[in-house]
Amino acid sequence: MTTEAAVRTLQNFVDGEWRDADPAGYDDVPNPATGELLARTPLSSAADVEAAVRAAAAAFPAWAATPVVERARLLFRYKALLEERFEELAQIVTRENGKTIADARGEVRRGIEVVEFACGAPTLMMGEMLLDVARGVDCESMRVPLGVVAGITPFNFPMMVPHWMFPVALACGNTFVLKPSERTPLTAVRLTELLMEAGLPAGVLNLVHGAHHAVNALLTHPSVAAVSFVGSQPVAEHVYRTAAASGKRVQALAGAKNHLIVMPDADLDKTVEAIMSSAFGAAGERCLAGSVVVAVGEVADALVERLSAAASAITVGNGADERTEMGPVIRDSARERISGYIERGVSDGARLVCDGRDGAPSGGYFLRPTVFDAVTPEMAIARDEIFGPVLGVVRAPDLDAALGVVNASRFGNAASIFTRSGAAAREFRQRVQAGMLGVNIGVAAPMAYFPFAGHKWSFYGDLHATGKDAVAFYTETKVITSRW
């Protein structure tokens, strides 16, 4: 175990330099697999946020005036550094988050893909023009940056989710204040260092550690033009309501309860493999995790049997070990909360097929995969976002009933169907009420050039993260009508 005297206390990054915060307190950052103390995160005050926003506002005029091709070249240099430090970044993610090194590598790659997209800023920032909208009158539109924008990111993807935000925002000419999760801040620190190594001018990106005090200060600061957020549904709603009431543009990506429909004609070998990855990858701590399987018709018994066998065979342990297939959850409090849901599932009458509380490794915040059968849609384990390695099976007589189960959810982040039938897949695509859909895909994650398109309680706002939506979110449109 690391002694407290040797543990690093993190600093904020403001106006091109690392500074001590003026915090209300500190949060410990343990390795979830071992309990080893990695760092202490300062819980920054409103004064710390003020300093970061002031630095970003001062840097904005020069950065906005920097030609877009030069901004893109800087991002190309940053991407090269990310590639060079790829394995280092994956190891940091595993150490502070707990996910397997294979999952961490996938996350790093997904983050880099957004930087690649943002490097196309000279094309993405193009406007439009039409000559002679009237005799001798021309009309054109152009995109311009907003000013200072803020990003508030979650613990579960400390590399990928910040990249949904700041590369596109910077490419569009904005300056940025990043508030990473206080539970996984180390990746954000390293990303900031690499941005500075790439040549980003002082004040263009600032990093403020903290929790709700820092968040609320960003949401209400008069110099912050827009806020991007990813996190739980209650906090997303708070972020949206508070920032919008302060006149800001907001995209708030929220919770999920993703359904995986399995039709009787599905290839069960491939389907079970996809469900295992979806439900138990990253220990179920991701907003695209499939947490409810809707088994249609006669497939249910065989499917549950296969799910039970596959879940029981998953190797749980320290994510740094290449042999590990599922790591720990983020904190002991998360383990207790998830265990409470397992107990509630039992008391509500679901059949516990695999109990993740049994046989989990010691020394970290571990659970094993849990599988329930005979789940009904009104049960808490079918309604609530558990954010852990718990999978429930709901049985439905046909596709129409299965779609009814999915569409009754308050959430609408993602849904998938497993089938060989084009007709069933087409009906699913047309009728399902979710933003990101998979056909024989367990995790329907869009690539960086498409939007991360949650619906219902899974998203608050109008313009989604990534893709052209992100460019529109981080820019304003000017329309010029001229006669000469």
Side-chain angles (χ1 to χ4, degrees):
M1 299 291 287
T2 304
T3 63
E4 186 168 342
V7 171
R8 173 186 180 190
T9 297
L10 301 180
Q11 296 177 298
N12 293 335
F13 187 77
V14 177
D15 202 17
E17 62 180 18
W18 295 101
R19 301 182 183 178
D20 290 336
D22 180 22
Y26 296 88
D27 259 12
D28 289 342
V29 183
N31 181 329
T34 65
E36 174 195 5
L37 191 58
L38 303 175
R40 300 174 74 227
T41 307
L43 303 180
S44 296
S45 64
D48 293 314
V49 170
E50 174 64 34
V53 174
R54 191 184 310 119
F60 172 68
W63 182 244
T66 301
V68 65
V69 291
E70 294 184 20
R71 300 197 297 258
R73 286 171 192 151
L74 186 144
L75 288 173
F76 274 116
R77 295 194 296 272
Y78 175 59
K79 177 190 177 298
L81 290 170
L82 293 176
E83 296 282 10
E84 180 183 322
R85 303 292 186 176
F86 188 99
E87 189 63 23
E88 175 196 347
L89 291 166
Q91 290 174 5
I92 295 172
V93 170
T94 291
R95 197 158 54 246
E96 68 174 345
N97 170 272
K99 66 179 62 175
T100 67
I101 190 65
D103 273 350
R105 289 173 184 139
E107 177 183 348
V108 173
R109 177 54 58 201
R110 280 305 185 103
I112 292 174
E113 287 168 356
V114 187
V115 181
E116 291 173 338
F117 171 76
C119 286
T123 299
L124 297 169
M125 289 287 287
M126 284 183 177
E128 298 176 311
M129 183 175 185
L130 182 63
L131 297 174
D132 294 318
V133 295
R135 294 187 182 277
V137 178
D138 303 329
C139 194
E140 61 187 303
S141 68
M142 62 183 186
R143 292 195 175 278
V144 296
L146 300 175
V148 178
V149 298
I152 302 161
T153 59
F155 75 83
N156 60 330
F157 284 96
M159 164 69 184
M160 183 181 74
V161 172
H163 282 100
W164 287 359
M165 301 175 185
F166 71 76
V168 182
L170 299 182
C172 292
N174 302 283
T175 54
F176 204 90
V177 178
L178 174 63
K179 205 299 289 182
S181 170
E182 65 276 18
R183 289 184 280 184
T184 53
L186 299 176
T187 305
V189 169
R190 190 69 183 112
L191 298 178
T192 302
E193 292 170 345
L194 293 177
L195 272 170
M196 295 306 106
E197 188 176 339
L200 192 70
V204 174
L205 183 131
N206 304 272
L207 184 153
V208 178
H209 297 289
H212 60 279
H213 291 304
V215 168
N216 287 328
L218 286 169
L219 300 183
T220 57
H221 198 291
S223 295
V224 174
V227 175
S228 300
F229 170 84
V230 177
S232 68
Q233 183 275 325
V235 180
E237 184 174 357
H238 168 75
V239 166
Y240 179 72
R241 290 181 181 276
T242 305
S246 296
K248 306 184 191 315
R249 187 175 292 190
V250 188
Q251 54 179 202
L253 286 69
K257 195 66 178 178
N258 305 312
H259 293 71
L260 309 174
I261 297 175
V262 181
M263 299 296 291
D265 65 346
D267 181 325
L268 284 189
D269 289 337
K270 294 179 179 178
T271 296
V272 169
E273 181 181 355
I275 292 172
M276 289 297 104
S277 175
S278 180
F280 304 126
E285 293 178 322
R286 56 187 180 193
C287 64
L288 287 180
S291 55
V292 178
V293 168
V294 185
V296 177
E298 66 271 16
V299 77
D301 288 342
L303 179 62
V304 170
E305 183 178 346
R306 288 183 182 231
L307 292 175
S308 173
S312 299
I314 287 176
T315 302
V316 177
N318 191 325
D321 186 334
E322 296 277 0
R323 298 167 296 181
T324 296
E325 296 172 297
M326 191 182 91
V329 296
I330 190 67
R331 294 287 186 272
D332 193 50
S333 57
R335 179 172 59 181
E336 292 177 2
R337 176 181 53 78
I338 297 162
S339 296
Y341 269 105
I342 297 171
E343 184 58 41
R344 185 167 178 184
V346 172
S347 65
D348 284 347
R351 183 169 72 88
L352 187 56
V353 177
C354 294
D355 190 342
R357 298 168 297 181
D358 295 340
S362 59
Y365 315 131
F366 291 102
L367 287 167
R368 290 194 54 78
T370 291
V371 178
F372 280 101
D373 188 16
V375 176
T376 58
E378 66 274 8
M379 292 180 182
I381 58 172
R383 293 194 325 264
D384 297 353
E385 183 179 39
I386 299 174
F387 222 61
V390 178
L391 179 66
V393 178
V394 175
R395 297 183 179 223
D398 51 35
L399 178 56
D400 185 68
L403 288 169
V405 171
V406 179
N407 292 343
S409 175
R410 300 167 294 180
F411 298 104
N413 212 41
S416 291
I417 188 169
F418 294 87
T419 183
R420 290 185 173 95
S421 167
R426 188 176 189 277
E427 185 172 1
F428 166 80
R429 290 171 55 162
Q430 294 293 106
R431 293 178 54 193
V432 75
Q433 296 171 11
M436 290 167 285
L437 310 182
V439 177
N440 298 317
I441 297 289
V443 180
M447 300 298 288
Y449 30 85
F450 286 96
F452 197 90
H455 292 184
K456 299 193 208 179
W457 276 20
S458 294
F459 179 72
Y460 294 84
D462 299 297
L463 292 165
H464 294 88
T466 68
K468 293 180 181 178
D469 268 28
V471 176
F473 180 79
Y474 289 121
T475 57
E476 190 58 275
T477 301
K478 287 185 177 180
V479 180
I480 304 99
T481 305
S482 56
R483 171 184 283 128
W484 294 100

